[in-house]
């Protein structure tokens, strides 16, 4: 339960209940005396019907109370009850207003401080943008490296591929090692060394470095040298020369080095840790997609910065990919939210949580629980708002999340 602290409370303005009751009693004593005087006047003039108070007086006498006191107590109790009921209603109303502003603070703050969800998101994410930028394309080609000319490539393909061993040093990256040995595509080292996830690379690990870019292919039933030549757009002569083959006859299970071949983008994303899991564990429905939409409150045209997964309050939220928790906090738009910093320039944001289950600086692996679904912040109901940034630019989460 949240305890509300009223800062600046001045006791000098507090209600004096005993004083109020005493004041009411004095007023009714005076009022009753006036009524008794008027009754006596009416009786003396014969204009007021005679009332037999003997029964009531006998009761009062037996209890030691006066008729006036009985009526006083009834009226005082009624006024005291009304006062206490009013006070209770005021307290309840104040608490309801406080709870409402805590649950939906963005309805007030957004109007005065933020022009849009995107503006706040940019403010939140800018502080946690990675210093490193991608130095390779989506196909794995290094950026800013002089590419080998077609003529030189032809000469390389006519020579047998050779290999050397390299021990990974502290601070090495897959792109750095690729560049160091004069290769042009990072998928070469990944494929040749069967690296399932580049984040598993560590100092002291040994890698096999080929003399030219390419990857291994395991011969399947029905494969032929001519078919592989066509599939990988390379001449049969180059395949024979690079693999030092004396015959074009292949056998199932045979490994061939295919010069110039690359991993497909999906495989490369998987190896680079760029494929993200769905951040929700359990049943959900996508209530809002990435891109243009109508604001759920105002109906105005806006740009949705992520994907909303609608599901019950308390549904577990997991880290979509492994990384370091860069920030946890509360905002008018995203309520309780978490930002995770991943490799290769990615950051993810998880918003509207009912509870945060991680802390800043914590390393979380893919699938780690980081919070519970809620409806805090600028929200119409329980859901997770999931946003992905890559090198400071918004990315459609569904293009990455499986």
């Amino acid at each position: 339960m949240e305890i509300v602290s009223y800062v600046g409370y001045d006791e000098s303005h507090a209600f004096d209940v005993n004083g109020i009751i005493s004041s009411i009693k004095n007023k009714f004593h005076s009022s009753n005396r006036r009524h008794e005087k008027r009754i006596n006047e009416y009786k003396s003039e014969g204009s007021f019907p005679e009332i037999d108070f003997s029964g009531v007086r006998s009761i009062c006498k037996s209890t030691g109370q006066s008729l006036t006191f009985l009526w006083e107590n009834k009226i005082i109790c009624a006024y005291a009850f009304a006062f206490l009921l009013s006070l209770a209603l005021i307290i309840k109303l104040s608490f309801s207003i406080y709870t409402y502003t805590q649950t939906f603070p963005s309805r007030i703050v957004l109007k005065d401080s933020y022009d849009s969800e995107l503006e706040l998101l940019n403010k939140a994410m800018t502080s946690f943008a990675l210093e490193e930028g991608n130095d390779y394309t989506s196909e794995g080609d290094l950026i800013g490296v002089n590419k080998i000319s077609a003529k030189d490539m032809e000469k390389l393909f006519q020579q047998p591929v050779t290999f050397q061993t390299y021990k990974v040093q502290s601070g090495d990256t897959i792109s750095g090692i690729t560049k160091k040995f004069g290769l042009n595509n990072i998928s070469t080292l990944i494929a040749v060394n069967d690296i399932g996830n580049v984040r598993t690379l560590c100092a002291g690990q040994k890698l096999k470095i080929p003399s030219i870019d390419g990857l291994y292919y395991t011969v399947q039933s029905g494969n032929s040298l001519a078919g592989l030549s066509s599939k990988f757009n390379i001449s049969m002569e180059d395949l024979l020369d690079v693999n030092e083959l004396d015959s074009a006859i292949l056998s199932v299970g045979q490994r061939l080095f295919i010069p110039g071949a690359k991993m497909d983008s999906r495989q490369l994303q998987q190896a680079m840790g760029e494929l993200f899991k769905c951040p929700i564990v359990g049943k959900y429905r996508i209530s809002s997609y990435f891109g243009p939409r109508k604001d759920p409150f105002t109906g105005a045209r806006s740009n949705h910065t992520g994907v909303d997964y609608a599901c019950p309050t308390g549904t577990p939220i997991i880290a979509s990919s492994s990384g370091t928790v860069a920030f946890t906090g509360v905002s008018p738009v995203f309520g309780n939210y978490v930002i995770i910093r991943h490799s290769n320039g990615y950051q993810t944001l998880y918003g509207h949580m009912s509870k945060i289950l991680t802390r800043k600086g914590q390393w979380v692996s893919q699938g780690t629980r980081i919070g519970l679904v809620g409806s805090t912040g600028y929200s119409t109901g329980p859901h997770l708002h999931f946003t992905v940034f890559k090198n400071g630019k918004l990315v459609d989460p569904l293009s990455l999340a499986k």
Side-chain angles (χ1 to χ4, degrees):
M1 178 182 292
E2 185 174 1
I3 299 175
V4 182
S5 175
Y6 293 94
V7 180
Y9 175 70
D10 185 358
E11 290 186 359
S12 64
H13 300 291
F15 287 109
D16 182 1
V17 177
N18 292 328
I20 292 172
I21 294 175
S22 177
S23 176
I24 292 172
K25 287 179 68 176
N26 290 334
K27 287 182 180 179
F28 279 95
H29 273 299
S30 175
S31 176
N32 193 61
R33 282 194 297 271
R34 288 198 303 272
H35 286 304
E36 285 184 344
K37 182 179 180 182
R38 185 163 297 179
I39 289 170
N40 291 330
E41 290 175 354
Y42 287 151
K43 290 176 71 176
S44 64
E45 295 173 1
S47 58
F48 192 81
E50 186 71 28
I51 302 173
D52 184 7
F53 289 94
S54 59
V56 177
R57 286 196 182 95
S58 64
I59 294 173
C60 293
K61 188 175 181 180
S62 64
T63 58
Q65 303 293 329
S66 68
L67 179 64
T68 303
F69 183 78
L70 286 176
W71 283 104
E72 281 179 2
N73 277 322
K74 285 183 179 180
I75 296 172
I76 290 172
C77 288
Y79 271 85
F81 177 77
F83 169 74
L84 293 174
L85 181 62
S86 300
L87 185 61
L89 289 173
I90 291 170
I91 293 172
K92 184 176 181 180
L93 180 61
S94 301
F95 182 75
S96 298
I97 293 172
Y98 173 81
T99 304
Y100 179 83
T101 56
Q102 291 301 306
T103 307
F104 299 103
S106 58
R107 297 187 183 186
I108 300 171
V109 178
L110 273 179
K111 182 178 179 182
D112 298 330
S113 306
Y114 301 104
D115 294 328
S116 66
E117 174 189 352
L118 182 60
E119 182 180 343
L120 179 62
L121 180 62
N122 285 334
K123 287 180 180 179
M125 301 299 279
T126 299
S127 302
F128 309 106
L130 289 177
E131 296 79 8
E132 61 174 322
N134 268 11
D135 51 3
Y136 56 86
T137 68
S138 59
E139 294 181 343
D141 293 321
L142 292 177
I143 297 172
V145 175
N146 295 326
K147 291 187 177 181
I148 301 174
S149 65
K151 187 176 181 179
D152 290 338
M153 187 72 74
E154 185 179 346
K155 291 180 180 178
L156 287 173
F157 286 4
Q158 293 172 356
Q159 301 172 13
V161 62
T162 59
F163 297 89
Q164 57 182 309
T165 301
Y166 174 73
K167 181 185 282 188
V168 177
Q169 306 298 311
S170 178
D172 272 343
T173 62
I174 198 72
S175 55
I177 300 172
T178 300
K179 189 183 296 185
K180 182 182 291 187
F181 287 93
L183 301 174
N184 287 274
N185 194 286
I186 62 172
S187 68
T188 294
L189 296 184
I190 294 171
V192 168
N193 292 278
D194 294 322
I195 300 174
N197 190 326
V198 294
R199 280 172 283 181
T200 62
L201 282 177
C202 58
Q205 186 174 345
K206 293 182 179 181
L207 297 179
K208 198 175 181 181
I209 313 292
S211 56
I212 56 175
D213 279 300
L215 50 79
Y216 277 118
Y217 178 79
T218 302
V219 176
Q220 309 292 321
S221 177
N223 285 157
S224 66
L225 200 63
L228 294 177
S229 172
S230 176
K231 178 178 180 178
F232 292 104
N233 194 26
I234 185 172
S235 68
M236 290 179 59
E237 290 76 14
D238 288 342
L239 282 175
L240 289 168
D241 291 340
V242 166
N243 291 281
E244 295 185 286
L245 297 177
D246 297 326
S247 170
I249 300 174
L250 303 177
S251 57
V252 175
Q254 183 178 356
R255 294 188 79 195
L256 297 178
F257 189 84
I258 312 296
K262 306 173 184 177
M263 296 173 67
D264 66 56
S265 59
R266 195 74 177 172
Q267 288 178 319
L268 183 58
Q269 280 184 310
Q270 180 72 51
M272 296 303 293
E274 295 180 2
L275 283 184
F276 291 73
K277 276 187 176 181
C278 174
I280 290 295
V281 177
K283 292 183 178 180
Y284 66 86
R285 66 179 178 84
I286 296 179
S287 57
S288 189
Y289 289 86
F290 177 83
R293 70 162 183 175
K294 287 185 178 180
D295 186 278
F297 285 105
T298 66
R301 197 71 172 167
S302 63
N303 187 59
H304 194 221
T305 58
V307 172
D308 288 346
Y309 295 87
C311 46
T313 298
T315 300
I317 301 169
I318 63 170
S320 188
S321 183
S322 57
T324 301
V325 177
F327 192 77
T328 66
V330 184
S331 86
V333 172
F334 299 110
N336 298 320
Y337 72 102
V338 170
I339 295 174
I340 299 179
R341 177 183 296 174
H342 311 280
S343 61
N344 308 318
Y346 283 98
Q347 302 99 37
T348 52
L349 179 143
Y350 310 76
H352 307 302
M353 294 180 175
S354 61
K355 187 175 183 180
I356 296 173
L357 300 178
T358 187
R359 65 183 186 280
K360 182 179 178 180
Q362 181 180 353
W363 167 263
V364 291
S365 57
Q366 189 177 56
T368 300
R369 289 192 181 191
I370 59 172
L372 303 177
V373 168
S375 187
T376 55
Y378 195 64
S379 170
T380 57
H383 73 284
L384 167 69
H385 173 92
F386 180 53
T387 291
V388 180
F389 261 66
K390 181 174 174 64
N391 295 324
K393 293 182 180 181
L394 284 168
V395 178
D396 183 355
L398 295 183
S399 69
L400 302 171
K402 294 186 288 185

